[in-house]
């Protein structure tokens, strides 16, 4: 009997030590950078993210080759709409979304691939411990790196035939969002709130 109890306890301890995906914040905002080498595309800006309602907004400076553009983009996957405001011309286009919802959170079925330290290990306040995960969503491969303590995303990579490969980095994160961040720009739909 003692042997059976010992084996059950040993199995429970072993399972408890298996890394499980952490739970990322459902809403946050901050700054980002994107790089897509295939299309010679770079973007920098601010964003607001709401996984609960599948909404994402980015105000960005894009660099494609030698050209620069400035956009305010609001992706409302809950309504299947994209609002794109050109900040130079103030021209707004509203289209049906064709790209999939890309969660910037660690999915529960993600595979843990290891952990490491960004910064100078062993020096207080000069490093953060991160975990690496990967998997597929809608048949498309992704990877995500998140902080160990709060599961805040640091880097996310995604590939699909429609988007190609995209690498996005997150920084200056605040664990909240302003609800107004998901209101379409006035130039797109006066007096509309979502």
């Amino acid at each position: 009997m003692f042997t059976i109890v010992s084996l059950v306890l040993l199995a429970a301890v072993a399972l408890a030590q298996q890394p499980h995906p952490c739970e990322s914040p459902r809403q946050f905002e901050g700054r980002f950078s994107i790089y897509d080498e295939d299309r010679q595309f770079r973007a920098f800006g601010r964003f607001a993210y709401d996984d609960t309602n599948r909404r994402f907004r980015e105000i960005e400076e894009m660099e494609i080759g030698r050209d620069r553009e400035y956009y305010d983009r609001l992706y409302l996957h809950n309504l299947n709409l994209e609002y794109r405001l050109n900040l130079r011309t103030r021209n707004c286009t509203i289209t049906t979304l064709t790209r999939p919802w890309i969660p910037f959170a660690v999915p529960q079925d993600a595979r843990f691939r290891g952990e490491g330290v960004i910064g100078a290990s062993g020096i207080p306040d000069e490093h953060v411990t991160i975990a690496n995960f990967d998997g597929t969503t809608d048949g498309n491969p992704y990877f995500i790196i998140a902080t160990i303590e709060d599961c805040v995303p640091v880097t996310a990579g995604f590939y699909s035939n429609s988007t190609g490969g995209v690498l996005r980095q997150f920084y200056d994160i605040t664990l909240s969002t302003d609800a107004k961040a998901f209101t379409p720009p006035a130039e797109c739909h006066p007096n509309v709130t979502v």
Side-chain angles (χ1 to χ4, degrees):
M1 182 65 166
F2 178 73
T3 304
I4 293 173
V5 170
S6 296
L7 287 174
V8 169
L9 285 174
L10 184 60
V13 168
L15 286 174
Q17 292 177 351
Q18 290 292 320
H20 298 285
C22 53
E23 187 170 333
S24 296
R26 305 290 286 184
Q27 297 176 333
F28 54 93
E29 59 186 43
R31 299 176 57 80
F32 71 90
S33 65
I34 301 173
Y35 182 63
D36 180 341
E37 184 177 349
D38 295 338
R39 294 182 287 175
Q40 294 186 338
F41 169 82
R42 295 173 195 247
F44 305 90
R46 298 198 54 76
F47 73 91
Y49 172 80
D50 176 7
D51 189 49
T52 303
N53 297 299
R54 296 173 28 130
R55 304 180 295 184
F56 185 75
R57 185 169 207 159
E58 56 190 359
I59 299 171
E60 64 185 358
E61 173 185 337
M62 293 174 38
E63 183 180 299
I64 303 172
R66 295 178 185 246
D67 297 329
R68 288 183 187 258
E69 291 294 335
Y70 303 87
Y71 286 100
D72 179 351
R73 296 180 192 201
L74 177 59
Y75 303 99
L76 299 176
H77 285 266
N78 56 342
L79 300 175
N80 203 33
L81 291 174
E82 175 185 344
Y83 295 84
R84 181 182 300 201
L85 176 64
N86 183 313
L87 294 172
R88 278 192 194 175
T89 65
R90 306 310 292 178
N91 181 39
C92 180
T93 57
I94 304 169
T95 59
T96 301
L97 280 170
T98 57
R99 71 181 221 173
W101 170 249
I102 302 171
F104 297 121
V106 178
Q108 287 303 304
D109 61 348
R111 292 180 303 246
F112 175 77
R113 294 299 189 182
E115 63 181 58
V117 171
I118 295 175
S121 181
I123 300 174
D125 299 326
E126 291 292 325
H127 68 280
V128 63
T129 305
I130 50 96
N132 296 293
F133 299 93
D134 69 10
T136 58
T137 182
D138 296 328
N140 300 306
Y142 70 87
F143 76 90
I144 188 162
I145 300 170
T147 62
I148 287 282
E149 189 171 328
D150 294 316
C151 202
V152 174
V154 175
T155 303
F158 179 81
Y159 179 84
S160 77
N161 289 333
S162 62
T163 64
V166 178
L167 177 67
R168 185 180 291 259
Q169 296 181 322
F170 304 95
Y171 51 98
D172 295 339
I173 302 295
T174 303
L175 297 181
S176 66
T177 58
D178 181 355
K180 293 177 187 175
F182 304 108
T183 300
E187 293 89 342
C188 297
H189 262 286
N191 305 318
V192 172
T193 57
V194 179

